[in-house]
Amino acid sequence: MEPGSDLTRVRRSWLERVLDVVRLLGASGDLHETLHRIVEGVVDVLGFGATAINMRTADGDALRVAAVAGPPELEELRGQSTPLKYFVDLLEASEQWGALRFYSHDVDQTPVDRVARWTPPGSPASEPGAWQPGDELMVPLHDRSGTLIGVLSVDQPRSGKLPDVEQRTVLELFAAQAAIAIADAMAHTESETRRREAERRWQLAFEHSPVGTVLAVDADGQLGQVNDALVDFLGYSRTELAELTFADVTHPDDVDLDVQLFAELLEGRRESYEIEKRYIHRDGRVLWGLLHVGIVRDQDGGMLSIVGQVNDITARKQAEAQIAHRASHDPLTDLPNRLRLEEVLDACIASGRPAGALCCGIDRFKTVNDSLGHDAGDELIRAVAARLRDALPSGMTVGRIGGDEFVVIVPDEADPEALRSVAARLLAALREPIELRGYQHTVSISVGITVSSPRHAHADEVLRDADQALRRAKRQGRARVEFYDPTQDRPATVGDLELEYALRTALAGGDGLVPYFQPIVSLETNTPVGYEALIRWRHPEKGMLEPDEFLPMAEQTGLIAPLGWRMLELCCRAAADPRLTGGWSRWVAVNVSGSQLGRGQLASAVRSALDAAGLPPDRLHLEITETALVEASPSAIKEVREVADLGVRIALDDFGTGCSSLSLLRDLPVGTVKIDRSFVKPIVSDRSARAIVRSVITLCREMGVATVGEGVETDEQITSLRALGATLAQGYLLGRPAPLPS
């Protein structure tokens, strides 16, 4: 075989081996491995004794030795940096061999001498074409955009000669492929760096996020990786959570919904879901979380993971619960309020179920409130509320509807005896005294009962009927139970509203209110000495109305006080009219309701009415019921005394119907006692009634107080009153109420 043929085979082997290295370069994505394979390929395949790759540093101002191959002493160069300008000058000063740059020892060595470099051993060769120690062959490496990213330097061809055209061509080819591989490896490295940095940032965000997060929830709901926030939220360690499913930490009442939504997620019917749900903390506490669960997918749409995030909303839910509680509960007693009670009743009405309603009112609560103060009144209401609540079994609802009134709802109960039994429990709960401001205060309640029925469209109608029954219980003596009776407890109607409006109009305009006068006769002279003024109302449509046709409405609507002031003015003016007095010094008795007492207005109103009419004070009597004075506050009693000090006579009306009659006679400046008609009517035939009347008359005579027998209708009653020593009498027998004569 000719020598040329051997050389051709060697060079063909070169190319094949270079291509093998190039294939390896393309298979590697690691920059360090790629650089190592390049320098090893230059030395092992291309027949050079030494090589190095200088890569551009991150700041771009220098090239750093990144890989070497050849003599061991080359390792000393690894990591050394050389200013970029050195290589730029060196490459510009070099001879161009295609893409290669050859720097000959014959050229000025100044650029080379600027930096420390490796100098191959040996002395200059003498034969032509020999490789000299000062020679250097370089290949600039560019990325796809043409930017210089490094320089490949080769030295010491093992042939000892300058590389020929074929060897340079193979080197040039190899260097071009190497540049591509380096650029790809750099891009891969940069991408991996960014990916790892992104993962690191994500991991930090995951671990330190204030939102509880769990990764990789599997199809069985098993919890995967969790962050600190979720650990803190649930109170379990990571190890403990890894053994639990999301159902294990969910409130039992919320599990089904969560499981259903999770199944829809796995089945592909939804990509995510969000719910508010309760969790069970490790210590047993119930917490609220806003849960968002979603699927993380890859580029092809495959499911990578299921991620759950939980925001702690316990504080918000507690605040919402408090607001809802305040909206449905009485702030003083924490019992359900009227709104909540109506909801319970409306639910029964809507479902067609009966419900008993017991309306309870504290008896004589105003006395406590006025005598000990509103704070003491609040303490009493709280104490009564606690007693009533503790007296009732589960299933019943007790609430406060305002003031001193409570309501008990008994669902599914319509039996009167069963409801009366509930009322008895309530009354019994208050038998023991309640300690209040150092006093042992005995409290009683009155109870009105009704049962919801198809005639009730709304809860307020049921409560209205129960309240009507309560009012009757109070009227009939208190501390008693009364059932709603439609024949006695007439509910409010639209007509009542119209009547109220008409009365307000009459009071505002001063028209239509007419005083009628009933004579009060001396039993000694059989002549009138005074008149009791009784109100009538000339209604613009209904005509003249009797007191019982509008006074109850005035009491309920608060119009009784302005009505009383108006009557006071009219009657003082009438008392000064000669048509009434007939030239005699007769007086007029005007009724004062309990609603007019305690307002701080009584004395000034009386003085103003007397002055306006020019009426002497002794010509005016004020009649106040015994019941009103028994329940009057200290300030109200003071007002009565102030009126008496003006010279106005105080008459105690309906005497004997209250419970503190004797103390009133002792403590108040009473000038006249009016014996109630309930004692006068049976005085002829009933020895007990006669004895009571005799005792009252005797007591009053000894105290210098005049007595008036009310409701006289027969001569026998007149005879009996005169025989017992009564001073005055009043009734239909002696004269009916009439207006001023024309």
Side-chain angles (χ1 to χ4, degrees):
M1 181 180 296
E2 296 181 358
S5 299
D6 293 337
L7 182 59
T8 300
R9 283 197 299 274
V10 170
R11 288 176 175 168
R12 184 178 298 113
S13 174
W14 258 6
L15 186 57
E16 292 172 352
R17 292 174 63 192
V18 164
L19 292 176
D20 289 340
V21 173
V22 168
R23 280 193 288 271
L24 289 175
L25 293 180
S28 174
D30 181 73
L31 179 60
H32 177 75
E33 184 179 350
T34 297
L35 296 176
H36 178 72
R37 285 178 174 172
I38 290 171
V39 296
E40 289 295 331
V42 171
V43 171
D44 294 344
V45 177
L46 298 182
F48 291 94
T51 186
I53 293 181
N54 294 269
M55 294 299 296
R56 197 160 182 169
T57 57
D59 58 13
D61 294 335
L63 296 183
R64 180 182 58 81
V65 179
V68 296
E73 55 266 30
L74 277 178
E75 289 295 328
E76 298 177 1
L77 299 178
R78 190 188 298 272
Q80 289 186 8
S81 294
T82 303
L84 177 62
K85 189 172 186 329
Y86 164 75
F87 281 98
V88 172
D89 292 344
L90 191 62
L91 291 171
E92 288 181 354
S94 300
E95 181 182 352
Q96 291 193 15
W97 289 356
L100 308 181
R101 300 292 185 270
F102 176 67
Y103 193 84
S104 173
H105 66 284
D106 294 332
V107 184
D108 182 10
Q109 292 291 310
T110 301
V112 179
D113 294 337
R114 292 180 193 164
V115 297
R117 59 188 298 277
W118 176 73
T119 302
S123 55
S126 57
E127 62 272 19
W131 182 274
Q132 302 297 334
D135 294 340
E136 189 165 357
L137 185 60
M138 296 169 289
V139 187
L141 304 174
H142 298 88
D143 61 15
R144 288 183 172 86
S145 66
T147 301
L148 180 69
I149 58 175
V151 175
L152 173 64
S153 300
V154 297
D155 206 344
Q156 292 184 314
R158 282 196 288 272
S159 66
K161 294 180 185 258
L162 295 174
D164 59 16
V165 174
E166 189 168 359
Q167 188 178 16
R168 294 202 307 265
T169 301
V170 175
L171 175 60
E172 188 175 349
L173 172 64
F174 181 70
Q177 295 300 315
I180 294 172
I182 290 172
D184 289 345
M186 288 176 64
H188 178 74
T189 299
E190 184 178 356
S191 174
E192 281 296 302
T193 300
R194 286 197 301 268
R195 183 186 63 79
R196 285 193 296 270
E197 180 62 23
E199 288 182 352
R200 187 184 71 83
R201 287 196 300 268
W202 186 91
Q203 189 68 28
L204 287 174
F206 168 75
E207 290 294 342
H208 301 295
S209 171
V211 179
T213 308
V214 57
L215 302 178
V217 180
D218 65 15
D220 296 325
Q222 199 76 29
L223 302 178
Q225 184 181 1
V226 298
N227 67 353
D228 291 341
L230 192 63
V231 169
D232 294 340
F233 178 64
L234 295 174
Y236 292 91
S237 67
R238 281 179 165 80
T239 302
E240 290 172 326
L241 286 174
E243 298 175 356
L244 300 175
T245 67
F246 67 80
D248 295 328
V249 295
T250 299
H251 191 281
D253 294 343
D254 294 343
V255 169
D256 290 345
L257 176 60
D258 206 354
V259 169
Q260 174 190 336
L261 294 172
F262 190 72
E264 293 176 5
L265 193 78
L266 295 176
E267 294 166 3
R269 288 189 283 163
R270 60 172 66 241
E271 283 294 298
S272 64
Y273 66 87
E274 184 175 275
I275 56 171
E276 291 182 356
K277 56 177 280 192
R278 287 164 291 180
Y279 291 86
I280 305 298
H281 190 274
R282 194 177 189 276
D283 62 11
R285 285 181 294 136
V286 176
L287 305 173
W288 277 93
L290 175 61
L291 171 66
H292 179 88
V293 181
I295 296 176
V296 179
R297 299 189 181 278
D298 58 23
Q299 293 179 346
D300 299 326
M303 186 174 72
L304 291 175
S305 178
I306 298 176
V307 179
Q309 291 184 304
V310 182
N311 279 287
D312 184 358
I313 59 171
T314 304
R316 172 169 69 80
K317 297 297 286 189
Q318 289 174 343
E320 290 174 353
Q322 290 174 357
I323 292 172
H325 184 83
R326 285 198 294 268
S328 61
H329 284 71
D330 170 52
L332 181 61
T333 63
D334 202 38
L335 292 178
N337 59 14
R338 186 183 186 97
L339 176 64
R340 178 60 188 143
L341 291 168
E342 288 182 352
E343 289 176 351
V344 174
L345 271 174
D346 280 332
C348 293
I349 293 172
S351 61
R353 298 154 50 209
L358 293 79
C359 191
C360 313
I362 301 176
D363 296 328
R364 298 185 62 203
F365 174 72
K366 187 175 184 297
T367 302
V368 175
N369 218 27
D370 291 343
S371 59
L372 297 181
H374 291 289
D375 289 343
D378 288 348
E379 289 181 28
L380 179 62
I381 287 174
R382 282 194 291 266
V384 170
R387 294 272 187 98
L388 298 182
R389 181 179 56 235
D390 295 342
L392 295 173
S394 61
M396 300 182 189
T397 302
V398 57
R400 178 176 177 236
I401 59 174
D404 62 346
E405 292 190 6
F406 301 84
V407 168
V408 176
I409 306 300
V410 188
D412 304 311
E413 186 59 77
D415 179 36
E417 289 307 312
L419 294 174
R420 189 178 292 278
S421 176
V422 174
R425 297 179 68 154
L426 299 176
L427 268 64
L430 296 171
R431 284 180 186 149
E432 293 296 324
I434 295 173
E435 184 173 347
L436 191 64
R437 301 293 174 94
Y439 296 93
Q440 294 293 319
H441 192 78
T442 301
V443 179
S444 66
I445 58 172
S446 300
V447 182
I449 305 176
T450 192
V451 177
S452 66
S453 65
R455 68 183 178 84
H456 295 117
H458 304 287
D460 60 343
E461 297 178 0
V462 181
L463 296 179
R464 179 198 62 197
D465 289 352
D467 184 65
Q468 291 291 327
L470 168 63
R471 292 180 183 279
R472 181 157 48 84
K474 284 184 175 287
R475 288 196 303 270
Q476 295 182 0
R478 301 185 180 89
R480 58 187 294 127
V481 178
E482 293 292 336
F483 278 81
Y484 174 74
D485 183 347
T487 64
Q488 301 184 63
D489 304 319
R490 189 182 69 83
T493 65
V494 174
D496 294 330
L497 293 177
E498 294 173 345
L499 190 67
E500 177 188 346
Y501 177 76
L503 181 57
R504 289 185 184 276
T505 303
L507 286 170
D511 299 325
L513 298 174
V514 180
Y516 272 42
F517 299 94
Q518 185 175 26
I520 298 175
V521 176
S522 168
L523 292 178
E524 182 179 350
T525 65
N526 291 326
T527 57
V529 294
Y531 296 89
E532 179 181 359
L534 301 169
I535 192 170
R536 298 292 187 271
W537 177 20
R538 187 179 295 109
H539 191 279
E541 297 175 1
K542 299 178 183 293
M544 192 67 75
L545 299 182
E546 296 288 323
D548 58 1
E549 295 181 85
F550 62 90
L551 284 186
M553 176 272 294
E555 286 278 5
Q556 295 173 5
T557 58
L559 293 176
I560 194 67
L563 190 61
W565 304 134
R566 180 62 180 157
M567 276 294 293
L568 180 63
E569 296 171 358
L570 293 174
C571 292
C572 284
R573 192 182 308 157
D577 192 321
R579 290 178 297 170
L580 178 67
T581 62
W584 295 79
S585 297
R586 295 168 182 167
W587 42 263
V588 172
V590 179
N591 288 284
V592 172
S593 72
S595 298
Q596 291 173 267
L597 300 178
R599 297 171 176 261
Q601 301 174 350
L602 183 62
S604 60
V606 169
R607 188 182 297 109
S608 177
L610 291 172
D611 292 345
L615 185 71
D618 60 355
R619 297 275 303 284
L620 176 65
H621 290 194
L622 292 188
E623 292 192 5
I624 307 174
T625 65
E626 178 188 3
T627 302
L629 286 174
V630 166
E631 296 183 350
S633 65
S635 61
I637 298 298
K638 180 183 177 184
E639 286 182 321
V640 174
R641 289 196 175 98
E642 290 174 351
V643 171
D645 290 342
L646 294 175
V648 174
R649 195 177 185 94
I650 304 299
L652 191 59
D653 197 12
D654 298 338
F655 189 83
T657 59
C659 58
S660 303
S661 306
L662 297 181
S663 64
L664 290 175
L665 289 175
R666 180 194 64 195
D667 298 335
L668 288 176
V670 176
T672 303
V673 167
K674 303 189 74 173
I675 303 170
D676 189 70
R677 68 183 66 243
S678 62
F679 295 103
V680 173
K681 183 175 182 179
I683 194 173
V684 176
S685 58
D686 189 331
R687 294 179 59 188
S688 297
R690 187 178 181 86
I692 292 173
V693 173
R694 178 187 293 112
S695 298
V696 171
I697 293 173
T698 301
L699 177 65
C700 289
R701 182 170 59 242
E702 292 181 358
M703 297 181 68
V705 175
T707 52
V708 179
E710 293 186 293
V712 174
E713 297 179 351
T714 66
D715 291 331
E716 290 81 3
Q717 291 169 346
I718 287 286
T719 301
S720 296
L721 286 171
R722 185 178 288 116
L724 294 174
T727 315
L728 307 167
Q730 176 184 0
Y732 283 173
L733 178 67
L734 303 173
R736 289 178 176 270
L740 283 175
S742 301

